[in-house]
Amino acid sequence: MKRAAPEKKGRHPEHLWLPYTQMAIETPPLEAVATQGARIRLKDGRELIDGISSWWTACHGYNHPHIRDAVTRQLESFPHIMFGGFVHEPAIRLADRLIALLPPGLARVFFSESGSVAIEIALKLAVQYWVNRGETGRDRFVGFRRGYHGDTLAAMAISDPDTGFHDRKHFSGYIPEHFFTEIPKSETDAAAFEDFLRQNRSKIAGVVVEPLVQAVGGMRFHSAKSLRRIAEACARQGVLFIADEVATGFGRLGALFACEEAGVTPDILCLSKALTGGTLPLAATVASAEIFDAFFAPDPEKAFLHGPTFMANPLACAAANASLDLFEREPRLEQVAAIAAHFQTALEPCRALPGVCDVRVKGAVGVVQLEGEVDHDWLRGRFIEEGVWIRPFGDMVYLMPPFVIEEAELGRLTDAIVKVVGEWSAQKRA
Ligand SMILES: Cc1ncc(COP(=O)(O)O)c(C=O)c1O
């Protein structure tokens, strides 16, 4: 049924090209002028409570003084220096700290600036790892249905081609073909998955998975056991296990890392998003000692020839170090547990609404899954009227708020979801 679209106020900025937007028909963006804690202030004076932490990054809320001070100090010292030929204390310290926090076995950190690039680097490392070991022809990956790993071409190529976020038909022939399968949920699935690896091992460089939660592909959860089955099958079949913790890393699901919750150590692990507490662009591709050793030889051809201009930017590394301080000093994981407990009760009323097919919670991720037509523009507009920033995508409305969100603010978010999804459901029935 057709519902009234919210009035489209204003125009798109004349010279900006906006992400994931059909600018000819979609409502223009809001103009933000300030942020604080879990709040975003708009140019017109309104204030929104942020339900999605700026694409899941702002885990400590906005403008945390500890991160701001660390970045300011670094800015006064030096904002950037090329990483080719130089290193610096913020990067050395950050790498040491990440290795100490990540599952044991990971040993080397390669920095870049975005999640997609961290994935590109992981894929290149995996392919060259086999070449360096004298096994050629292993340049295919196994990805999972509903997986998403970024928008650059190689990252797109291992994102689900059918239910994914991208319209792959525009790029067919341009991106490599990989293998896709379901996350193995049972013993039988796991045996079939392992069989597939065994049969195709000579072509496969690695398996790429978003551990425990497939985010962009629909906030689908799988168990720690499923993840362990994937990791164990990879280990037995001699295929690299690559974990994309770009969305799940840094406490979002309850443990600091999803791999830690499942007790698995990947060969390569990717981080970004909350790495700097949502302040500056930074990503890390972290490899095991065994991967690194395959590149470490008196042979220039075995070196990894990759180096983004702004890799390991000192400001971003200072922000990331300050963010890790906050995980040490402030009760972030307890806050995540409290958010999870709130979601469990406060989102539950949605379950009874016609048109809602699931309500699920994992850590500070709360999902209300809808069926049938979902008018994102209408939902987004109604949420803004309710004073909250919630950006539905696919067939769901979800929350991933800053961990520091106050109880009353969290209540405003969940109340808005119950109310607006209720309206959506009633209109759907009408
Ligand atoms: C699991 C996962 N991997 C990779 C990416 C890509 O990160 P970026 O947008 O920083 O390139 C995303 C982005 O949402 C993601 O959720």
Side-chain angles (χ1 to χ4, degrees):
M1 85 132 263
K2 187 106 185 88
R3 58 182 69 82
E7 195 191 336
K8 290 190 171 109
K9 294 199 186 100
R11 296 172 40 206
H12 286 287
E14 199 171 344
H15 296 295
L16 287 179
W17 194 328
L18 301 175
Y20 307 120
T21 308
Q22 178 41 271
M23 293 172 68
I25 52 176
E26 284 185 47
T27 304
L30 305 167
E31 188 168 337
V33 290
T35 54
Q36 187 62 44
R39 293 181 182 243
I40 303 167
R41 184 139 49 80
L42 305 180
K43 193 175 178 192
D44 62 14
R46 284 179 297 170
E47 204 172 63
L48 300 178
I49 299 170
D50 187 353
I52 54 171
S53 311
S54 274
W55 273 332
W56 328 333
T57 63
C59 53
H60 312 291
Y62 295 107
N63 297 15
H64 196 294
H66 182 66
I67 300 185
R68 200 181 48 216
D69 292 351
V71 173
T72 306
R73 272 196 308 280
Q74 185 58 44
L75 183 62
E76 281 160 4
S77 170
F78 61 99
H80 187 63
I81 184 151
M82 64 191 286
F83 215 55
F86 293 104
V87 290
H88 46 78
E89 191 269 348
I92 296 169
R93 188 153 166 265
L94 178 58
D96 289 349
R97 293 175 82 184
L98 289 173
I99 293 303
L101 290 170
L102 285 165
L106 292 167
R108 295 279 171 169
V109 181
F110 195 99
F111 286 113
S112 58
E113 330 84 331
S114 74
S116 302
V117 174
I119 294 288
E120 299 271 335
I121 290 166
L123 302 179
K124 283 179 70 177
L125 280 179
V127 169
Q128 194 180 335
Y129 167 80
W130 293 115
V131 173
N132 283 4
R133 289 178 44 135
E135 291 195 43
T136 50
R138 298 189 65 173
D139 55 7
R140 295 297 164 100
F141 290 89
V142 179
F144 292 97
R145 295 281 165 207
R146 288 172 288 281
Y148 170 90
H149 302 281
D151 293 345
T152 55
L153 285 165
M156 272 176 75
I158 48 133
S159 303
D160 185 338
D162 299 324
T163 56
F165 208 54
H166 309 111
D167 206 339
R168 285 274 285 265
K169 66 178 177 299
H170 302 319
F171 305 99
S172 60
Y174 193 47
I175 47 182
E177 294 289 330
H178 296 303
F179 301 111
F180 290 93
T181 183
E182 293 288 338
I183 300 264
K185 298 247 160 80
S186 64
E187 284 294 338
T188 320
D189 293 351
F193 173 71
E194 183 156 355
D195 235 32
F196 181 82
L197 294 187
R198 188 179 300 112
Q199 279 164 25
N200 294 283
R201 187 189 173 281
S202 62
K203 293 183 237 159
I204 297 174
V207 171
V208 188
V209 65
E210 292 163 88
L212 303 186
V213 173
Q214 293 178 296
V216 174
M219 298 294 169
R220 304 293 176 132
F221 305 167
H222 56 265
S223 67
K225 190 161 184 188
S226 287
L227 187 62
R228 276 195 295 277
R229 284 178 170 138
I230 296 169
E232 285 160 10
C234 288
R236 279 194 293 266
Q237 297 310 319
V239 163
L240 298 182
F241 172 50
I242 301 171
D244 177 353
E245 291 235 30
V246 166
T248 55
F250 301 103
R252 178 57 63 183
L253 306 184
L256 198 55
F257 300 102
C259 285
E260 174 192 325
E261 178 181 332
V264 295
T265 294
D267 298 292
I268 304 176
L269 181 145
C270 298
L271 297 168
S272 189
K273 290 203 182 278
L275 174 56
T276 61
T279 55
L280 286 161
L282 185 67
T285 306
V286 188
S288 69
E290 193 188 326
I291 301 280
F292 180 76
D293 287 348
F295 291 74
F296 190 72
D299 178 355
E301 283 204 2
K302 289 195 168 174
F304 186 51
L305 300 184
H306 197 104
T309 303
F310 284 101
M311 76 180 283
N313 171 260
L315 296 175
C317 290
N321 276 308
S323 173
L324 293 183
D325 295 342
L326 293 175
F327 276 101
E328 283 168 15
R329 292 177 198 170
E330 298 187 1
R332 287 291 172 271
L333 300 186
E334 286 85 340
Q335 288 165 331
V336 171
I339 292 170
H342 176 87
F343 284 169
Q344 295 285 2
T345 49
L347 294 177
E348 196 52 30
C350 292
R351 199 183 291 280
L353 295 171
V356 171
C357 53
D358 193 24
V359 175
R360 56 185 177 272
V361 175
K362 171 91 185 139
V365 183
V367 185
V368 177
Q369 197 175 322
L370 313 173
E371 58 190 9
E373 181 210 350
V374 180
D375 182 341
H376 298 150
D377 228 22
W378 181 84
L379 282 167
R380 197 164 50 225
R382 277 295 294 118
F383 284 128
I384 291 167
E385 284 165 8
E386 293 297 317
V388 297
W389 179 237
I390 297 173
R391 208 174 126 98
F393 69 78
D395 58 358
M396 49 161 194
V397 171
Y398 75 97
L399 290 172
M400 285 171 78
F403 303 158
V404 298
I405 192 164
E406 288 171 11
E407 216 179 313
E409 294 172 326
L410 196 57
R412 291 262 318 269
L413 290 175
T414 48
D415 287 352
I417 289 206
V418 174
K419 182 172 178 189
V420 173
V421 172
E423 289 170 11
W424 172 84
S425 167
Q427 289 189 29
K428 201 173 143 63
R429 266 180 304 159

